[in-house]
Amino acid sequence: MKQTLTDISTSARILGALFYYSPDAPQARGIVDALRAPGWEREWPWAFDAALTAGFRASDAEGETLAQAWQRLFIGPHALPAPPWGSVWLDRESVLFGDSTQALQRWLRENAIAFETPPQEPADHIGLLLLLAAWLAGEGKTRELEELLAWHLLPFAPRFLEVFCAQARHPFYVALGELTRATLGWWRSGLAMPVAQKPLYR
């Protein structure tokens, strides 16, 4: 179990940083460089389609740089093709800071988890949730990790990733979405508790 937690912590930190930070940001730049180099796939703890490694090595697509793709996918100014916040998928009105976000915030308080987010940034951003999973796994907080996954991340992540992969366009982010889908599938298969079944509105 200890090795599994280590593997989750490492992989969640990598995936979370790529969803949350610009590829030019210090928190992500080294990860981007590592995924563009050969050989990392042999160290990934879970199986995935090795063909997607070619997507990570792509730098530009249709005249769009990696940084521009991240801006389009996560910042705007236009409507985001796959909004990264859980409540957009789980709330009937598809709003930020919806009921699911409030439920996550209550869970964080009840478990005395100090989870600082930037002003006006909902805590249910998929990148933040993955980074939180990395921290919980690293601290050996198995119960809290399983609850986070089963109650707050996995109810919406598969649908988000389905749309994200279909709309990302840039090969790097398509590959990121597919790697995340495969990795979350392995995490889900090892959960001791059932994933909460919640209606999705997108």
Side-chain angles (χ1 to χ4, degrees):
M1 184 61 185
K2 182 177 180 182
Q3 184 59 49
T4 299
L5 289 175
T6 300
D7 290 341
I8 290 176
S9 180
T10 301
S11 57
R13 187 176 300 111
I14 290 169
L15 299 173
L18 293 174
F19 277 110
Y20 192 67
Y21 296 107
S22 162
D24 295 332
Q27 298 91 335
R29 190 182 307 125
I31 297 173
V32 171
D33 291 343
L35 292 180
R36 285 178 168 166
W40 66 268
E41 64 274 13
R42 293 191 295 272
E43 300 179 23
W44 200 256
W46 299 280
F48 64 89
D49 183 355
L52 65 81
T53 58
F56 286 116
R57 291 193 288 273
S59 56
D60 296 329
E62 300 178 4
E64 184 180 55
T65 67
L66 190 58
Q68 289 169 336
W70 185 84
Q71 179 80 20
R72 172 177 56 81
L73 290 167
F74 296 104
I75 303 297
H78 304 297
L80 304 186
W85 303 279
S87 67
V88 175
W89 305 87
L90 295 168
D91 190 275
R92 186 180 299 274
E93 303 299 324
S94 294
V95 295
L96 297 181
F97 295 102
D99 291 343
S100 62
T101 312
Q102 295 174 30
L104 171 62
Q105 291 169 333
R106 284 194 301 273
W107 178 82
L108 291 168
R109 289 194 300 270
E110 290 166 0
N111 287 278
I113 298 172
F115 189 47
E116 298 293 333
T117 60
Q120 305 305 311
E121 176 70 85
D124 59 349
H125 187 293
I126 190 167
L128 289 176
L129 291 175
L130 287 165
L131 291 170
L132 177 57
W135 180 79
L136 292 172
E139 293 293 312
K141 296 180 179 292
T142 305
R143 176 186 62 80
E144 293 88 341
L145 173 65
E146 293 216 338
E147 290 177 357
L148 176 73
L149 297 178
W151 298 351
H152 301 289
L153 177 60
L154 291 175
F156 83 92
R159 175 59 181 159
F160 160 77
L161 290 167
E162 177 186 3
V163 176
F164 181 83
C165 290
Q167 300 292 328
R169 297 205 315 253
H170 195 290
F172 184 97
Y173 285 108
V174 175
L176 172 62
E178 294 293 357
L179 178 62
T180 306
R181 289 172 81 172
T183 301
L184 291 186
W186 283 105
W187 293 0
R188 182 171 188 154
S189 69
L191 281 179
M193 63 177 64
V195 174
Q197 298 300 307
K198 300 182 181 182
L200 298 169
Y201 296 97
R202 289 179 70 108

